[in-house]
Amino acid sequence: MLRWGCFGLLVLSFAVMAEPVVPVIKVANLRLPDSGETWTSQRDRIATLMETLRPDVIVVQDVRQLANTPNPACWLGSRLKYSCDFISADRPSQPIRRGNAVLTRLSAQQDGITLLHGDSAPTAAGMQRLQLQQAQLNIYAASMCPRDNSAVSRGHQAADLRSWMDATADGLPSLIIGDFAAPTEELVRQLPGYQPARRNPSTRHGDARLSADAQHGMDVLYQVRSFADITQQAIQLPASDAQSPPEPLGMMATLRMTRIPEAAAVDQP
């Protein structure tokens, strides 16, 4: 009887081991302090905070890369031992380049860049295909804040992003990490099938007076059919003294993948 009991436990153990591990990804969306004294005085504390949170992917918004000065986002990536991909529409020869940066501790299988033509000054969007355990997913980094911030310009940028994603996603689960000037309802209409991790951002801030055209802001947009159990938290740098409030840096979303395409389907042209 004891033998049969042990055999049953052994079979159960193998059954548990055979169950697939559900991939979970943590994505942070940050805006670092301006380059200069403010950044250099706070960067060590920011690195320590991110080491504690340990996201799989960090997208840094509105990065300024100055000539002969380390890129602040890539400095953070080096400190965390993450790769760093700086995405900019500016020419490499320019003394000041602006853009976004994608930092990750996951293995990148592919990457790419495109332009979003919202107005006279297009911005760059980037893509990385990452390996997360046994699954692959696409990360799109896109700041859609045209200078004139008109509905027409926002619509052009969203259309460019949708077309590029249709051409590069290959049916894989996808996330969009960015800073969005469009109001929430407009943003959801522009990117069908995606929802923001920050649910009801206006009520979350407790301000019912926000107008309908208020900007959505920084967020992680997830593909509804591919992710579930979405949680998000604010990322704040603790105050250096008792009198100062915490400094907001951005937000982090944790998501569970619910759809994992078979490798054979992904490899098809």
Side-chain angles (χ1 to χ4, degrees):
M1 197 70 176
L2 181 60
R3 289 181 181 176
W4 281 109
C6 294
F7 180 74
L9 289 174
L10 184 61
V11 171
L12 180 61
S13 298
F14 278 113
V16 171
M17 293 175 60
E19 291 182 359
V21 178
V22 178
V24 174
I25 187 166
K26 295 168 65 176
V27 181
N29 194 357
L30 300 181
R31 179 174 282 106
L32 299 176
D34 291 338
S35 301
E37 184 177 347
T38 304
W39 161 243
T40 55
S41 65
Q42 295 185 346
R43 63 185 185 182
D44 289 329
R45 296 174 59 231
I46 293 174
T48 300
L49 174 63
M50 300 314 296
E51 285 173 346
T52 302
L53 294 174
R54 196 164 171 76
D56 299 293
V57 179
I58 304 171
V59 174
V60 185
Q61 304 291 335
D62 196 21
V63 179
R64 287 199 306 165
Q65 179 169 287
L66 309 179
N68 303 319
T69 302
N71 182 303
C74 290
W75 180 93
L76 180 62
S78 177
R79 174 70 175 268
L80 299 174
K81 295 182 171 57
Y82 285 29
S83 64
C84 177
D85 184 19
F86 179 56
I87 305 159
S88 175
D90 298 329
R91 297 187 302 274
S93 59
Q94 291 185 211
I96 301 177
R97 302 178 68 204
R98 301 187 82 103
N100 295 345
V102 179
L103 319 179
T104 182
R105 61 190 183 94
L106 302 178
S107 175
Q109 307 299 312
Q110 295 182 31
D111 60 21
I113 187 171
T114 193
L115 295 178
L116 306 181
H117 299 85
D119 51 19
S120 59
T123 61
M127 181 274 276
Q128 288 196 11
R129 180 163 299 167
L130 302 178
Q131 188 74 37
L132 178 65
Q133 299 174 17
Q134 301 303 312
Q136 291 186 356
L137 76 160
N138 301 316
I139 297 289
Y140 291 91
S143 177
M144 298 198 296
C145 298
R147 291 181 180 178
D148 64 8
N149 197 21
S150 68
V152 173
S153 295
R154 296 194 300 263
H156 286 165
Q157 286 194 339
D160 284 350
L161 180 61
R162 284 199 315 271
S163 297
W164 189 50
M165 292 173 63
D166 289 343
T168 57
D170 291 339
L172 288 171
S174 300
L175 299 171
I176 307 170
I177 302 96
D179 190 10
F180 307 101
T184 303
E185 291 185 1
E186 177 186 307
L187 181 65
V188 173
R189 288 197 309 271
Q190 290 172 342
L191 299 167
Y194 288 82
Q195 288 290 325
R198 287 173 47 231
R199 299 181 181 90
N200 300 320
S202 59
T203 57
R204 184 176 299 278
H205 292 299
D207 188 357
R209 298 170 300 171
L210 287 176
S211 62
D213 61 350
Q215 294 189 7
H216 183 84
M218 294 168 56
D219 208 342
V220 175
L221 308 186
Y222 64 94
Q223 198 175 32
V224 176
R225 67 188 179 115
S226 302
F227 297 91
D229 297 338
I230 317 301
T231 61
Q232 68 91 25
Q233 67 185 85
I235 299 178
Q236 296 181 319
L237 186 65
S240 56
D241 56 73
Q243 286 72 37
S244 302
E247 181 176 347
L249 296 178
M251 55 84 67
M252 183 169 72
T254 303
L255 314 98
R256 176 174 61 86
M257 290 181 61
T258 58
R259 185 179 64 88
I260 306 176
E262 295 182 3
V266 174
D267 294 335
Q268 290 180 357

